Amino acid sequence: MVRPRRIVLVRHGESEGNADDSVYEREPDHALRLTRTGREQAAAAGVRLRELFGEETISAYVSPYRRTLQTFRELRLDPTRVRMREEPRLREQDWGNWQERDAVRLQKAYRDAYGHFFYRFAQGESGADVYDRVGSFLESLYRSFEAEDHPQNVLLVTHGLTMRLFCMRWFHWSVAEFEALSNPGNGEFRALVLGPDGRYRLDRPFERWTTPEPYDLDG
């Protein structure tokens, strides 16, 4: 088994929906484009990633949303060193169809109160659903390591919530730990780096917005 030196997770650059949430009333979530700022964020991430990877090979998996595909393009990685494929299991948490802005804002307020892992959007997914499909993707990823010619790095271009849930699944974080973490900013990335002991560690943690509070099991 060839274990990659790094597994790098990149959040897409700023999208039209990040800049103006009324766009969800007119455009499907998967079709939203990067803004000019989003392209600049992706390009800046590409500079850092090209320095990080150097001349090493990369196996890239990209969410099929337009903004993630555009982000991957703006990274401008050397195509002779990258094997890229679309991976639908790395897509954004589905909200379901077009969304009326005020209804979405209300559901997000409900999600904040209920919990991001268990709350299910009325026509879409819960965080737990995304966790399950990320787990399915990880099984496929593990099998890919069995190839003798597996690239030296894995790159995932995806979404903020999906990044946190990938790390939750990989590191076996609790639900309380997941809930305490914030999404990375647009165009930011985190790297799981293989250590000499054969274990992966995050190059830097996700920011916390609160301290995890586990359930009182005696209550």
Side-chain angles (χ1 to χ4, degrees), residues 167-182:
C167 291
M168 177 186 176
R169 177 67 177 79
W170 186 282
F171 294 113
H172 306 289
W173 292 341
S174 67
V175 171
E177 179 71 12
F178 163 79
E179 293 282 6
L181 303 177
S182 300

Side-chain angles (χ1 to χ4, degrees), residues 50-61:
R50 292 194 298 274
E51 293 176 352
L52 179 66
F53 293 137
E55 297 184 358
E56 297 175 355
T57 54
I58 306 162
S59 180
Y61 300 87

Side-chain angles (χ1 to χ4, degrees), residues 65-99:
Y65 280 40
R66 178 177 287 174
R67 58 186 178 272
T68 39
L69 292 168
Q70 288 181 330
T71 296
F72 175 75
R73 184 181 64 193
E74 293 295 334
L75 297 178
R76 302 192 185 282
L77 302 173
D78 184 346
T80 65
R81 297 191 176 94
V82 181
R83 299 193 317 208
M84 178 275 200
R85 70 185 66 179
E86 288 188 19
E87 177 46 72
R89 289 172 291 184
L90 295 178
R91 68 187 185 274
E92 174 67 286
Q93 180 181 15
D94 285 333
W95 294 3
N97 306 319
W98 286 278
Q99 300 291 322

Side-chain angles (χ1 to χ4, degrees), residues 16-40:
E16 295 169 323
N18 296 134
D20 175 13
D21 61 1
S22 70
V23 73
Y24 294 106
E25 299 180 338
R26 308 182 298 275
E27 295 286 344
D29 189 9
H30 63 82
L32 299 182
R33 301 168 178 81
L34 293 180
T35 62
R36 174 180 294 181
T37 296
R39 293 193 297 272
E40 293 172 350

Side-chain angles (χ1 to χ4, degrees), residues 2-208:
V2 180
R3 305 182 73 190
R5 295 182 59 186
R6 306 176 194 86
I7 301 173
V8 180
L9 301 92
V10 181
R11 185 184 178 193
H12 62 81
E14 181 188 74
S15 73
E16 295 169 323
N18 296 134
D20 175 13
D21 61 1
S22 70
V23 73
Y24 294 106
E25 299 180 338
R26 308 182 298 275
E27 295 286 344
D29 189 9
H30 63 82
L32 299 182
R33 301 168 178 81
L34 293 180
T35 62
R36 174 180 294 181
T37 296
R39 293 193 297 272
E40 293 172 350
Q41 291 168 336
V47 171
R48 298 194 298 273
L49 288 174
R50 292 194 298 274
E51 293 176 352
L52 179 66
F53 293 137
E55 297 184 358
E56 297 175 355
T57 54
I58 306 162
S59 180
Y61 300 87
V62 184
S63 161
Y65 280 40
R66 178 177 287 174
R67 58 186 178 272
T68 39
L69 292 168
Q70 288 181 330
T71 296
F72 175 75
R73 184 181 64 193
E74 293 295 334
L75 297 178
R76 302 192 185 282
L77 302 173
D78 184 346
T80 65
R81 297 191 176 94
V82 181
R83 299 193 317 208
M84 178 275 200
R85 70 185 66 179
E86 288 188 19
E87 177 46 72
R89 289 172 291 184
L90 295 178
R91 68 187 185 274
E92 174 67 286
Q93 180 181 15
D94 285 333
W95 294 3
N97 306 319
W98 286 278
Q99 300 291 322
E100 197 273 326
R101 179 172 60 179
D102 291 338
V104 168
R105 290 179 175 176
L106 181 60
Q107 286 201 64
K108 284 186 174 181
Y110 287 156
R111 182 180 65 173
D112 290 343
Y114 193 91
H116 285 217
F117 189 78
F118 293 112
Y119 183 82
R120 182 187 300 279
F121 287 110
Q123 295 178 314
E125 293 181 304
S126 68
D129 294 323
V130 182
Y131 177 90
D132 289 343
R133 56 176 162 83
V134 166
S136 172
F137 167 72
L138 273 175
E139 293 175 2
S140 301
L141 185 63
Y142 289 146
R143 289 196 298 272
S144 75
F145 296 166
E146 297 175 359
E148 293 184 0
D149 63 342
H150 191 279
Q152 296 157 291
N153 299 277
V154 169
L155 173 67
L156 312 180
V157 183
T158 182
H159 308 265
L161 183 79
T162 310
M163 287 174 63
R164 285 193 289 143
L165 288 166
F166 179 96
C167 291
M168 177 186 176
R169 177 67 177 79
W170 186 282
F171 294 113
H172 306 289
W173 292 341
S174 67
V175 171
E177 179 71 12
F178 163 79
E179 293 282 6
L181 303 177
S182 300
N183 283 346
N186 293 113
E188 290 187 3
F189 63 86
R190 297 291 188 276
L192 285 65
V193 182
L194 183 64
D197 59 355
R199 301 179 64 181
Y200 286 90
R201 293 175 175 82
L202 271 176
D203 64 336
R204 56 195 175 100
F206 291 92
E207 293 184 8
R208 293 179 181 272

